[in-house]
Amino acid sequence: MGSTQQLLLICVVILASTHLSFSATQKCNPTDRKILLKINKDFGNPYVLSSWNTTIDRDCCNWYCLSCDLETNRVTELFITVGDLSGPIPDSIGELQTLKLLRLHKQQNLTGPIPSALAKLKNLSRLDISWTNVSGPVPEFISDFNLTFLDLSFNNLSGSIPSSLSKLESLNTLYLDRNKLTGTIPDSIGEFKQEIYLELSHNQLSGPIPETFTKLDLFSFNVSYNKLSGQIPVGGDLQNWDEYSYFHNKNLCGAPLESCKS
Protein backbone atom coordinates (compact mmCIF):
# COMPACT_ATOMS: atom_id res chain seq x y z
CA MET A 1 0.00 0.00 0.00
CA GLY A 2 1.44 3.36 -1.03
CA SER A 3 1.90 6.31 1.32
CA THR A 4 -0.95 8.18 -0.33
CA GLN A 5 -3.36 5.30 0.23
CA GLN A 6 -2.20 4.95 3.84
CA LEU A 7 -2.81 8.64 4.46
CA LEU A 8 -6.26 8.41 2.89
CA LEU A 9 -7.11 5.41 5.06
CA ILE A 10 -6.00 7.25 8.20
CA CYS A 11 -8.18 10.22 7.27
CA VAL A 12 -11.20 7.96 6.75
CA VAL A 13 -10.65 6.29 10.14
CA ILE A 14 -10.32 9.65 11.89
CA LEU A 15 -13.49 11.00 10.23
CA ALA A 16 -15.43 7.85 11.10
CA SER A 17 -14.31 7.88 14.72
CA THR A 18 -15.10 11.59 14.98
CA HIS A 19 -18.60 10.95 13.61
CA LEU A 20 -19.17 8.08 16.04
CA SER A 21 -17.94 10.21 18.95
CA PHE A 22 -20.22 13.07 17.88
CA SER A 23 -23.20 10.72 17.57
CA ALA A 24 -22.50 9.19 20.98
CA THR A 25 -22.71 12.61 22.61
CA GLN A 26 -26.14 13.32 21.15
CA LYS A 27 -28.33 13.18 24.24
CA CYS A 28 -31.39 14.96 22.91
CA ASN A 29 -34.43 12.85 22.18
CA PRO A 30 -35.26 13.37 18.47
CA THR A 31 -38.98 13.80 19.18
CA ASP A 32 -38.27 16.44 21.83
CA ARG A 33 -35.90 18.27 19.49
CA LYS A 34 -38.57 18.39 16.78
CA ILE A 35 -41.15 19.75 19.25
CA LEU A 36 -38.76 22.39 20.58
CA LEU A 37 -38.06 23.62 17.06
CA LYS A 38 -41.83 23.83 16.51
CA ILE A 39 -42.23 25.83 19.75
CA ASN A 40 -39.48 28.19 18.65
CA LYS A 41 -41.20 28.68 15.28
CA ASP A 42 -44.60 29.21 16.93
CA PHE A 43 -43.08 31.93 19.12
CA GLY A 44 -41.64 33.58 16.01
CA ASN A 45 -38.01 32.54 16.55
CA PRO A 46 -37.33 35.03 19.38
CA TYR A 47 -33.79 36.00 20.28
CA VAL A 48 -34.07 34.40 23.74
CA LEU A 49 -34.38 31.02 21.99
CA SER A 50 -31.57 31.61 19.49
CA SER A 51 -29.65 28.60 20.84
CA TRP A 52 -32.54 26.37 19.70
CA ASN A 53 -30.81 25.81 16.39
CA THR A 54 -29.54 22.51 15.03
CA THR A 55 -26.85 24.24 12.97
CA ILE A 56 -25.32 25.48 16.22
CA ASP A 57 -25.85 22.37 18.35
CA ARG A 58 -28.02 19.37 17.48
CA ASP A 59 -28.11 18.28 21.13
CA CYS A 60 -31.15 20.12 22.48
CA CYS A 61 -30.17 19.23 26.04
CA ASN A 62 -27.47 21.92 25.64
CA TRP A 63 -29.94 24.59 24.57
CA TYR A 64 -30.81 27.49 26.86
CA CYS A 65 -34.03 27.74 28.87
CA LEU A 66 -34.53 24.00 29.38
CA SER A 67 -33.23 20.95 31.22
CA CYS A 68 -33.15 17.26 30.39
CA ASP A 69 -33.34 14.23 32.65
CA LEU A 70 -29.81 12.86 33.12
CA GLU A 71 -30.91 9.25 32.60
CA THR A 72 -33.63 9.43 29.95
CA ASN A 73 -32.40 12.62 28.21
CA ARG A 74 -36.03 13.73 27.85
CA VAL A 75 -36.86 17.41 28.30
CA THR A 76 -38.29 17.83 31.82
CA GLU A 77 -38.01 21.59 32.43
CA LEU A 78 -38.84 24.58 30.27
CA PHE A 79 -38.16 27.97 31.87
CA ILE A 80 -38.21 31.19 29.86
CA THR A 81 -37.82 34.06 32.31
CA VAL A 82 -36.04 36.65 30.20
CA GLY A 83 -36.29 37.90 26.66
CA ASP A 84 -39.07 38.91 24.34
CA LEU A 85 -41.76 36.27 23.91
CA SER A 86 -44.93 37.61 22.32
CA GLY A 87 -48.32 36.37 21.21
CA PRO A 88 -50.21 33.40 22.65
CA ILE A 89 -48.73 30.41 24.44
CA PRO A 90 -48.33 27.86 21.63
CA ASP A 91 -50.21 24.58 21.75
CA SER A 92 -46.96 22.84 20.80
CA ILE A 93 -45.69 23.16 24.39
CA GLY A 94 -48.31 20.55 25.28
CA GLU A 95 -46.43 18.03 23.15
CA LEU A 96 -43.51 17.99 25.62
CA GLN A 97 -45.28 15.38 27.69
CA THR A 98 -42.26 14.60 29.92
CA LEU A 99 -42.25 18.17 31.29
CA LYS A 100 -42.24 18.43 35.07
CA LEU A 101 -41.72 22.19 35.22
CA LEU A 102 -43.11 24.91 32.97
CA ARG A 103 -42.17 28.50 33.79
CA LEU A 104 -43.06 31.49 31.61
CA HIS A 105 -42.20 34.50 33.75
CA LYS A 106 -41.97 38.25 33.12
CA GLN A 107 -43.11 38.02 29.51
CA GLN A 108 -45.28 41.12 29.23
CA ASN A 109 -46.10 40.53 25.57
CA LEU A 110 -47.44 37.04 26.16
CA THR A 111 -51.21 37.20 25.58
CA GLY A 112 -54.31 35.09 25.11
CA PRO A 113 -55.66 32.30 27.31
CA ILE A 114 -53.78 29.40 28.87
CA PRO A 115 -54.26 26.83 26.09
CA SER A 116 -56.16 23.61 26.67
CA ALA A 117 -53.30 21.78 24.92
CA LEU A 118 -51.31 22.07 28.15
CA ALA A 119 -53.72 19.54 29.66
CA LYS A 120 -51.55 16.87 28.03
CA LEU A 121 -48.67 17.67 30.41
CA LYS A 122 -49.63 14.88 32.82
CA ASN A 123 -46.19 14.81 34.50
CA LEU A 124 -46.23 18.48 35.42
CA SER A 125 -45.51 19.24 39.10
CA ARG A 126 -44.66 22.96 38.91
CA LEU A 127 -46.55 25.47 36.76
CA ASP A 128 -45.55 29.13 36.74
CA ILE A 129 -47.13 31.52 34.24
CA SER A 130 -46.67 34.87 35.95
CA TRP A 131 -46.05 38.54 35.19
CA THR A 132 -47.53 38.24 31.69
CA ASN A 133 -50.63 39.56 29.93
CA VAL A 134 -52.21 36.14 29.68
CA SER A 135 -56.00 36.41 30.05
CA GLY A 136 -59.11 34.26 30.26
CA PRO A 137 -60.13 31.88 33.05
CA VAL A 138 -58.03 29.73 35.34
CA PRO A 139 -58.39 26.43 33.45
CA GLU A 140 -60.23 23.58 35.13
CA PHE A 141 -57.77 21.07 33.68
CA ILE A 142 -55.08 22.31 36.06
CA SER A 143 -56.76 20.27 38.79
CA ASP A 144 -55.92 17.10 36.86
CA PHE A 145 -52.20 17.66 37.37
CA ASN A 146 -50.21 16.56 40.41
CA LEU A 147 -48.87 20.02 41.15
CA THR A 148 -46.92 21.08 44.20
CA PHE A 149 -46.50 24.66 42.95
CA LEU A 150 -48.94 26.88 41.02
CA ASP A 151 -48.15 30.52 40.29
CA LEU A 152 -50.55 32.40 38.01
CA SER A 153 -49.97 35.81 39.61
CA PHE A 154 -49.61 39.20 37.89
CA ASN A 155 -51.68 38.34 34.82
CA ASN A 156 -55.07 39.39 33.44
CA LEU A 157 -56.94 36.22 34.38
CA SER A 158 -60.67 36.63 34.97
CA GLY A 159 -63.64 34.58 36.08
CA SER A 160 -63.91 32.57 39.26
CA ILE A 161 -61.41 30.44 41.16
CA PRO A 162 -62.12 26.81 40.23
CA SER A 163 -63.28 24.83 43.27
CA SER A 164 -61.58 21.82 41.71
CA LEU A 165 -58.14 23.21 42.65
CA SER A 166 -58.62 21.45 45.99
CA LYS A 167 -58.01 18.19 44.13
CA LEU A 168 -54.33 19.16 43.99
CA GLU A 169 -53.55 17.21 47.14
CA SER A 170 -49.80 17.86 47.02
CA LEU A 171 -50.08 21.61 46.38
CA ASN A 172 -48.10 23.77 48.80
CA THR A 173 -48.06 27.04 46.83
CA LEU A 174 -51.05 28.81 45.28
CA TYR A 175 -50.42 32.30 43.90
CA LEU A 176 -53.44 33.84 42.13
CA ASP A 177 -52.82 37.44 43.20
CA ARG A 178 -52.80 40.46 40.90
CA ASN A 179 -55.43 39.29 38.44
CA LYS A 180 -59.07 40.17 37.73
CA LEU A 181 -60.69 37.18 39.40
CA THR A 182 -64.30 37.55 40.54
CA GLY A 183 -66.89 35.61 42.50
CA THR A 184 -66.57 34.04 45.92
CA ILE A 185 -63.63 32.08 47.28
CA PRO A 186 -64.60 28.39 47.10
CA ASP A 187 -64.95 26.62 50.45
CA SER A 188 -62.86 23.80 48.99
CA ILE A 189 -59.73 26.00 48.97
CA GLY A 190 -59.73 25.51 52.74
CA GLU A 191 -59.33 21.74 52.36
CA PHE A 192 -55.58 21.63 51.69
CA LYS A 193 -53.96 19.40 54.29
CA GLN A 194 -50.33 20.52 54.06
CA GLU A 195 -48.74 23.87 54.88
CA ILE A 196 -49.49 26.26 52.06
CA TYR A 197 -48.52 29.64 50.63
CA LEU A 198 -51.87 31.23 49.71
CA GLU A 199 -51.93 34.59 47.91
CA LEU A 200 -55.25 35.91 46.56
CA SER A 201 -54.77 39.68 46.90
CA HIS A 202 -55.48 42.38 44.30
CA ASN A 203 -58.45 40.75 42.60
CA GLN A 204 -62.19 41.45 42.65
CA LEU A 205 -63.22 38.56 44.87
CA SER A 206 -66.41 39.03 46.88
CA GLY A 207 -68.36 37.40 49.67
CA PRO A 208 -67.00 36.01 52.95
CA ILE A 209 -63.73 34.30 53.76
CA PRO A 210 -64.73 30.62 53.99
CA GLU A 211 -64.96 29.07 57.46
CA THR A 212 -62.87 26.21 56.08
CA PHE A 213 -59.86 28.54 56.11
CA THR A 214 -59.60 28.00 59.87
CA LYS A 215 -58.32 24.51 59.04
CA LEU A 216 -55.44 25.72 56.87
CA ASP A 217 -51.81 25.59 57.90
CA LEU A 218 -50.76 28.90 56.37
CA PHE A 219 -47.12 29.67 55.63
CA SER A 220 -48.14 32.92 53.93
CA PHE A 221 -51.56 34.47 53.43
CA ASN A 222 -52.99 37.57 51.76
CA VAL A 223 -56.52 38.42 50.61
CA SER A 224 -56.14 42.21 50.63
CA TYR A 225 -57.44 44.52 47.89
CA ASN A 226 -60.59 42.59 47.07
CA LYS A 227 -64.31 43.08 47.73
CA LEU A 228 -64.63 40.60 50.57
CA SER A 229 -67.25 41.11 53.25
CA GLY A 230 -68.44 39.74 56.57
CA GLN A 231 -66.55 38.66 59.66
CA ILE A 232 -63.13 37.07 59.39
CA PRO A 233 -63.57 33.52 60.72
CA VAL A 234 -62.00 32.96 64.13
CA GLY A 235 -59.56 30.11 64.53
CA GLY A 236 -56.59 28.39 62.99
CA ASP A 237 -53.94 30.72 61.63
CA LEU A 238 -56.26 33.50 60.47
CA GLN A 239 -55.65 35.79 63.45
CA ASN A 240 -51.88 35.25 63.22
CA TRP A 241 -51.70 37.54 60.20
CA ASP A 242 -51.75 41.32 60.58
CA GLU A 243 -54.20 43.76 59.01
CA TYR A 244 -52.12 44.07 55.85
CA SER A 245 -53.21 40.57 54.85
CA TYR A 246 -56.85 41.74 54.91
CA PHE A 247 -57.08 45.48 54.35
CA HIS A 248 -58.80 47.26 51.45
CA ASN A 249 -61.82 44.97 51.73
CA LYS A 250 -64.43 47.59 52.53
CA ASN A 251 -66.98 45.36 54.25
CA LEU A 252 -64.60 42.90 55.96
CA CYS A 253 -64.38 43.07 59.73
CA GLY A 254 -63.17 41.20 62.80
CA ALA A 255 -59.70 40.53 64.15
CA PRO A 256 -57.14 41.59 63.12
CA LEU A 257 -59.32 44.34 61.54
CA GLU A 258 -61.82 46.46 63.43
CA SER A 259 -64.61 44.67 65.27
CA CYS A 260 -67.79 44.01 63.37
CA LYS A 261 -70.69 46.35 64.14
CA SER A 262 -73.59 44.62 65.78
Side-chain angles (χ1 to χ4, degrees):
M1 181 182 295
S3 59
T4 301
Q5 289 176 313
Q6 287 179 325
L7 182 60
L8 181 60
L9 180 60
I10 291 171
C11 290
V12 170
V13 171
I14 291 173
L15 286 171
S17 62
T18 301
H19 177 74
L20 288 172
S21 175
F22 178 78
S23 298
T25 60
Q26 295 300 299
K27 299 177 182 178
C28 179
N29 179 278
T31 300
D32 288 352
R33 180 171 57 236
K34 183 178 180 180
I35 295 168
L36 290 168
L37 292 173
K38 178 69 164 58
I39 293 170
N40 189 19
K41 181 181 178 181
D42 291 344
F43 271 133
N45 302 300
Y47 179 75
V48 68
L49 302 182
S50 58
S51 69
W52 294 20
N53 189 326
T54 55
T55 60
I56 297 174
D57 189 347
R58 287 187 60 81
D59 188 353
C60 71
C61 291
N62 293 331
W63 294 353
Y64 295 157
C65 303
L66 61 86
S67 293
C68 292
D69 184 271
L70 294 177
E71 294 184 1
T72 66
N73 297 319
R74 300 302 301 269
V75 176
T76 56
E77 296 185 354
L78 181 61
F79 42 88
I80 308 175
T81 61
V82 295
D84 52 355
L85 298 182
S86 61
I89 299 172
D91 289 350
S92 47
I93 291 180
E95 299 298 322
L96 289 173
Q97 295 184 27
T98 55
L99 272 190
K100 295 181 180 179
L101 178 149
L102 174 59
R103 188 175 194 219
L104 304 173
H105 176 66
K106 287 194 173 180
Q107 302 292 339
Q108 294 299 318
N109 293 319
L110 206 58
T111 58
I114 298 173
S116 59
L118 298 190
K120 294 184 286 186
L121 300 176
K122 299 300 184 183
N123 293 297
L124 208 63
S125 61
R126 296 175 64 87
L127 177 60
D128 180 353
I129 302 174
S130 58
W131 293 75
T132 76
N133 272 303
V134 165
S135 58
V138 177
E140 291 278 355
F141 67 75
I142 287 178
S143 62
D144 294 328
F145 297 146
N146 187 26
L147 297 179
T148 61
F149 182 97
L150 176 59
D151 186 354
L152 300 178
S153 63
F154 288 82
N155 293 307
N156 285 315
L157 297 175
S158 58
S160 59
I161 299 174
S163 60
S164 58
L165 291 181
S166 63
K167 293 166 58 179
L168 298 169
E169 296 180 353
S170 300
L171 194 71
N172 56 39
T173 300
L174 178 58
Y175 294 154
L176 298 176
D177 48 304
R178 305 271 180 171
N179 280 290
K180 298 176 181 179
L181 299 175
T182 57
T184 59
I185 302 173
D187 290 347
S188 58
I189 299 299
E191 296 175 2
F192 292 110
K193 304 300 182 185
Q194 62 285 335
E195 189 175 57
I196 190 166
Y197 296 78
L198 182 59
E199 301 288 334
L200 304 176
S201 68
H202 292 83
N203 280 291
Q204 300 172 32
L205 299 170
S206 59
I209 296 174
E211 289 286 342
T212 54
F213 275 31
T214 60
K215 302 176 183 179
L216 289 173
D217 186 4
L218 295 166
F219 195 87
S220 73
F221 178 68
N222 199 323
V223 293
S224 64
Y225 289 91
N226 277 292
K227 299 178 180 180
L228 299 175
S229 59
Q231 182 171 353
I232 297 170
V234 177
D237 290 338
L238 293 181
Q239 276 66 48
N240 294 337
W241 302 95
D242 61 27
E243 63 185 76
Y244 297 105
S245 292
Y246 297 95
F247 73 167
H248 285 274
N249 285 286
K250 185 176 180 181
N251 295 313
L252 196 63
C253 59
L257 300 179
E258 294 182 3
S259 299
C260 297
K261 297 179 181 179
S262 55

